[in-house]
Structure formats: C-alpha cells, structure tokens
Amino acid sequence: MGSVLEVDVDGEAVFFLDKDALAPFSRRIKSLSEEELVGAAASPRRRLVLRGFPGGAEAFELVARFCYGGGGGVTVTAANACAVRCAAQYMEMADSPAATAASTAPSLVKVADKALEDMPHWPWHCVVDAVKQCQSLFPLAESTGVFDKVVGALLAQMAIPAPGDATPTSSSPESSAFRFSCDTKCSSLSLRRTWWFEDLVVLSPGMVERVAKALLARGADHGIVARFLFYYLKCRIAGAGAEDKAAMLEAAITVIADLDRSSVSCKGLFGILRIASPVKLAAGCQEMLVAMIGRKLDHATLDNLLVQAPSGTSSLYDVSLVLRFLEAFLRHGDEPGRLKKVGELMDLYLAEVAPDPSLRPARFVELATALPAAARDCHDALYRAIDVYFQVHGRLTDDEKMKICKGINYEKLSPECCKHLATNSGFPTRAAVQALASQHTVLKGIIRHSGTLKPASPPPPPAAHRESYDDADGDSNGQVVLYASRLELTLENQNLKSLLDSMHWRVMELEKVCSRMKTQMTKMKASRRGGGAAAARSLPRMCS
C-alpha cells in the first residue's frame, strides 16, 4: 500500500485509504496541499478531515469504492444517485486527472448524471426520496442541477393520477384546531390533482419553500400550490415549537406572496395571521402578510378584523394593525365598488371598538378619517359610532370632540341622524350648528328642485300668505320661500318641509344665544373697566 490517507468524514466514520488509488479520479485529492494534511512531517500516515460532506460517510464509501474499482464496481441507483452526484462534485470528479488523449478514465459525475436522466420514469416513492435527500445536499444540489432534475420529475409525476385515487383529504387531520381554507371547491378533478400533498408534507420549511417556488417557475397551477401550503401548515403547525412555527409560516408567506391574488382567500390569510400573532416573524414576512391582507380587505369580515391587541397593551383590539391593512388597501383599492365595501366594513369596526375605554382619541380619529370621501355614501353609521365613543369617553374636551367630528360629512347624514345630532348634548354645539347648516343647504337644493314641478291648478296666493324663512346667517339673498300651494308636494316633500321648519328655528335659537353671549361679553368688559358688579354675572347657558 502506498501513501496511507486517513479520512474522517463528519465524525461519522474514518477511512484508511491509499492516496494513490484516489488521486487518479479526484482532483481534490490530487491537489491537496501539505497544509491540509495534518501531521504530515511526523508520520507517513496523513489525515484528512471532511466536514459537511454531501451524503455523509455512506456516499464517501461509494466514492472510495469507485476509485478502488478503477471507475467501476459501483451501481448508482435511484436511492443514491443524488448523493453520489453531489459527492462526486465535492471531490472534483467531473474530469479525471488521469485522463489522457490515449485513454480516458471513467468520471463518477458522468455516471451519476446518466442515472439521473431517468428520474422522470422512477417510481413515485423514489422521486419523493430524492426530494428528501436534497434537503441535506444544498447548495451542491442546486449548483449541480440535481434539484432542478428532481423538481422536473415531481412535476411530471404530479400530472399522473394517483394510484388508487388516493387523496390527502382522506387522511388529513380535520380535527386539528388549525383549519385553513383557500375557498377552492373540492371537485373530483381537484382531488386527483392534490393526491401528492401528504407525501411532501414531511419536508422541512426551507425545502417546502424551494419546491413550491420551483414548481411555480415551471408553470404549476397557483391554486394547487396555495392549497398545498395551507395543507402543509394544517398538518405541521399543531404541536410545533415557536421557532419551528415561525420557520413554517415564513416559508408559506414567502411563497404565497408570489401567487396570483385570486389563488388565496382572505379567510386563509387571516388564518395564517391568527397563528402568526403570538409568533415572532421576520419583519419582512410580517409586512408581506399585512400587504396581502390589505389588498383583499374588501373580502374581509368584521370577525376577521377583531384581532386581539398585543400583550402588554390596555386596548382590547389591535387598531394599529387594522390601520396598516387600510394603508395597504388604499395603495391598490381605488375601485369604487371595493372602496365602498371597505367603508361599510370600517363602520362596523368603528362601532365595535368605540366602547373600548382604552382607545385613545388620536387612534379613533385615524380610524374615522382613514378612508377617502368616496368610501361612504351615508355617514349615519359613522355618526352612531362617534356617539358611542363620546358616551364612553365622557372626559373629552370640545376641541377633542371636534377633531373626531371632522370625519363626518354632515351633508351625507340622513335627516333623522341630523335631527338627533342637533339635540345630542354629547356633541359640541359647533358640530350641531355645522350639521344644521349643511342639512339646511341640502334641503334648499331639494326644495328648489321640487319647485320645477308642474304648478298646481289653483292660482298662486297673495304675498301676504307666503311663508318666509331666513337663512341662518341672516342673508336675504339666501331666503327660502315656500309656495306650498304651487307645488304638488308628495308626502316626502311635506316631511322635508316640516323638518326644514324645525331645523330653521333651531338655527335661529342658536343665533340668539350667540348674540346674547356677545352682548354679555361686551358688558363684562365694560364692567371690568368700570369696576361694576356686572362682572360677577355668569354667561347664559348654551342650549342643548
């Protein structure tokens, strides 16, 4: 035996080999420097330590047998082809160092590649085993093309109906507490296309991500890939530790972000969110999940949005998260139909969170004003939510209340809500005046429009019988004159007329109060200058 080489493979096994037998087939062995051979000067036995050897000691033994057999004596099969190909690459056995023009020494790389060419025709379980092997062979599995061949074989096999029409639904853990849905109808065709789920559910999170992305790159159906990811989470998430949960969720989120929007339901995304809430995900994955939910916010329900606030906070619900959803939606949700759906949803959410005594006014203002004006045709629901918030938060100042009221478009309030606001002592007087003035303007437009109707048959009454109402600002140019006998008033117009009368007198009453306040202020200033006793008089109370 020539120069003895002691090879330690990952601490699993130690091989005592003839260096001269390996060198003709491996450039790595041939080019080893003296610095890499520990103890070369002290002993003729040289030691080589190999760490992270692809395939471990078993694969290295096949490499050694190949070299000792002069390029033969080793059978590359479906069970070992991936490991042998990566091991040969590691040992630099693509082109034999002993090859000459006259004779060509066998190459283990070529032998392994030839075996891998038949992978699409391997039995399904052999292809699955090859996928599992690739988990520990990266990055060599990728650089050598082994992983690409495995994915190609997977895709070819997936297109074939499963033996016995087996489907993952027959053995899926439906009793699991974690249920996900892609809102995909379970037709017999879809079941035949998803029979392979259960065999790949054992893969590591990193491998699942790689396989899913590779399938998408080769044109796999986005809906099927999405269903596989949800099935994977459903099977694996229960009982997993926090670190493993985070890895699984991050892998799924990363792939789902690349799918067509229609492939994943809003319900499924919120399912992931519920599981991810107590888990510390990477910031990038959190943002991806928020963005995906935001783009589909018009499909969400109130229950979806009622996410519990993070531990350590006094609020009941995570309002900040909902604001992030809205921000993401508004980057893409400019369609009027979708915008109005989100407006209705936010009105429901505001009504739900308004009774929370820990919800700060600034946060409530953000919620109330987050959507553009086009999101709401009617502001009644928003008014009712604000009314509840004012009742629960009784210590708010008028200035704070007015900031919140900025979210209300008074012209979009129904007459009933506007009348309620005008008599609501919880709202600032300024808000009541603005509401009445806005509604007054709306009603004037309605009455003027009604004035274009065909005149009634009786002649117009004399001027003495006209009912005249001045505008709230006293401008005679804005005077509203109602010719009741000239109009064919419907019941609705009669109601509007009655409401207009009520609101007009309310405005007049408020104007009188303001006038008295100005007079009283003038007297107080004069009394202070003159030292009179009038300074002790109190201001008149604002009417409720």
Side-chain angles (χ1 to χ4, degrees):
M1 193 172 186
S3 178
V4 177
L5 181 64
E6 180 184 343
V7 183
D8 181 350
V9 181
D10 289 325
E12 296 179 9
V14 177
F15 297 85
F16 296 94
L17 305 171
D18 184 353
K19 179 186 175 185
D20 295 336
L22 301 180
F25 298 95
S26 171
R27 289 187 181 275
R28 188 179 184 92
I29 297 296
K30 186 176 180 62
S31 62
L32 282 175
S33 63
E34 295 298 323
E35 289 78 13
E36 291 177 306
L37 299 175
V38 181
S43 170
R45 178 180 296 177
R46 299 176 179 181
R47 191 168 187 267
L48 173 66
V49 179
L50 300 178
R51 292 287 179 257
F53 190 83
E58 185 177 351
F60 183 82
E61 183 178 352
L62 293 174
V63 170
R65 288 182 181 278
F66 178 85
C67 296
Y68 271 81
V74 173
T75 302
V76 180
T77 65
N80 60 29
C82 295
V84 168
R85 175 64 181 85
C86 292
Q89 187 74 20
Y90 185 91
M91 298 298 291
E92 300 178 22
M93 301 174 73
D95 296 316
S96 173
T100 63
S103 64
T104 303
S107 165
L108 185 56
V109 166
K110 293 179 180 178
V111 173
D113 278 339
K114 185 175 181 181
L116 291 172
E117 289 176 0
D118 294 330
M119 191 182 294
H121 307 292
W122 290 358
W124 169 252
H125 69 89
C126 292
V127 177
V128 173
D129 288 341
V131 178
K132 295 176 184 177
Q133 285 184 40
C134 284
Q135 293 184 124
S136 60
L137 296 176
F138 274 88
L140 280 174
E142 190 169 36
S143 62
T144 57
V146 169
F147 180 66
D148 192 56
K149 289 184 174 70
V150 169
V151 173
L154 271 178
L155 202 57
Q157 296 271 8
M158 289 172 185
I160 303 173
D165 289 331
T167 68
T169 56
S170 61
S171 57
S172 62
E174 292 297 330
S175 59
S176 171
F178 306 100
R179 298 182 181 229
F180 300 91
S181 170
C182 287
D183 288 350
T184 306
K185 294 182 179 179
C186 292
S187 62
S188 58
L189 176 60
S190 68
L191 291 178
R192 287 198 296 270
R193 297 172 67 188
T194 60
W195 58 268
W196 48 271
F197 284 8
E198 193 166 358
D199 292 318
L200 298 187
V201 83
V202 298
L203 298 178
S204 67
M207 196 62 183
V208 164
E209 181 180 342
R210 289 189 179 101
V211 169
K213 286 189 172 182
L215 291 175
L216 292 174
R218 286 175 169 264
D221 183 88
H222 284 220
I224 297 299
V225 173
R227 290 183 63 185
F228 167 66
L229 293 172
F230 282 101
Y231 181 80
Y232 175 77
L233 291 176
K234 182 171 65 174
C235 292
R236 296 286 301 274
I237 209 78
E243 189 174 337
D244 291 335
K245 280 184 181 179
M248 294 175 197
L249 290 166
E250 288 172 3
I253 291 169
T254 302
V255 178
I256 290 173
D258 293 334
L259 300 178
D260 294 335
R261 198 178 75 176
S262 59
S263 303
V264 185
S265 71
C266 190
K267 179 181 177 182
L269 292 174
F270 274 104
I272 292 179
L273 179 67
R274 283 194 301 272
I275 306 305
S277 294
V279 179
K280 188 175 182 181
L281 298 181
C285 283
Q286 289 178 347
E287 289 303 317
M288 280 192 284
L289 182 57
V290 169
M292 288 188 288
I293 292 177
R295 287 195 293 269
K296 299 179 76 70
L297 195 59
D298 52 313
H299 295 285
T301 65
L302 176 60
D303 287 340
N304 294 148
L305 295 186
L306 297 178
V307 179
Q308 187 176 359
S311 58
T313 58
S314 57
S315 298
L316 296 176
Y317 302 110
D318 195 343
V319 174
S320 299
L321 181 63
V322 174
L323 288 170
R324 290 166 64 195
F325 292 156
L326 286 171
E327 183 181 353
F329 171 78
L330 292 174
R331 288 197 292 265
H332 307 278
D334 53 352
E335 301 172 18
R338 297 182 61 211
L339 193 60
K340 288 179 180 179
K341 285 183 179 179
V342 174
E344 294 174 2
L345 178 63
M346 285 310 300
D347 285 342
L348 294 174
Y349 184 74
L350 281 165
E352 192 69 27
V353 301
D356 182 3
S358 299
L359 181 58
R360 294 182 292 108
R363 272 284 184 255
F364 192 82
V365 170
E366 287 185 76
L367 285 173
T369 60
L371 292 175
R376 295 180 175 94
D377 291 330
C378 178
H379 279 221
D380 286 10
L382 178 58
Y383 162 72
R384 287 190 288 268
I386 293 176
D387 186 24
V388 172
Y389 187 79
F390 285 170
Q391 293 177 35
V392 174
H393 299 75
R395 296 184 179 181
L396 294 177
T397 65
D398 278 1
D399 287 339
E400 290 175 323
K401 289 182 177 181
M402 286 305 298
K403 288 180 181 178
I404 295 174
C405 289
K406 286 181 180 180
I408 302 177
N409 183 337
Y410 299 106
E411 294 184 0
K412 291 186 177 183
L413 287 177
S414 68
E416 292 78 10
C417 275
C418 190
K419 184 176 180 180
H420 187 274
L421 191 158
T423 60
N424 192 339
S425 60
F427 277 70
T429 303
R430 283 177 290 172
V433 172
Q434 290 178 13
L436 290 171
S438 299
Q439 198 72 8
H440 201 185
T441 303
V442 172
L443 291 174
K444 281 198 304 183
I446 294 174
I447 296 300
R448 285 172 179 168
H449 177 72
S450 300
T452 62
L453 296 175
K454 182 179 67 175
S457 53
H465 291 87
R466 295 177 185 170
E467 297 180 5
S468 178
Y469 298 90
D470 292 336
D471 286 343
D473 57 4
D475 185 0
S476 60
N477 293 330
Q479 188 179 49
V480 181
V481 182
L482 306 178
Y483 297 95
S485 59
R486 293 188 59 185
L487 303 178
E488 293 179 342
L489 291 177
T490 62
L491 178 61
E492 180 181 2
N493 285 341
Q494 292 175 3
N495 292 336
L496 290 173
K497 177 180 177 295
S498 174
L499 183 59
L500 179 59
D501 293 344
S502 164
M503 291 185 173
H504 169 72
W505 290 114
R506 173 66 172 158
V507 172
M508 290 180 62
E509 184 181 357
L510 291 171
E511 284 182 334
K512 290 178 182 178
V513 171
C514 291
S515 178
R516 287 198 300 270
M517 288 179 65
K518 290 179 182 178
T519 303
Q520 190 68 19
M521 290 294 293
T522 302
K523 291 180 179 179
M524 288 178 65
K525 289 179 181 178
S527 64
R528 285 173 182 170
R529 288 194 297 266
R537 295 179 184 175
S538 61
L539 293 176
R541 179 179 298 175
M542 292 292 290
C543 56
S544 59

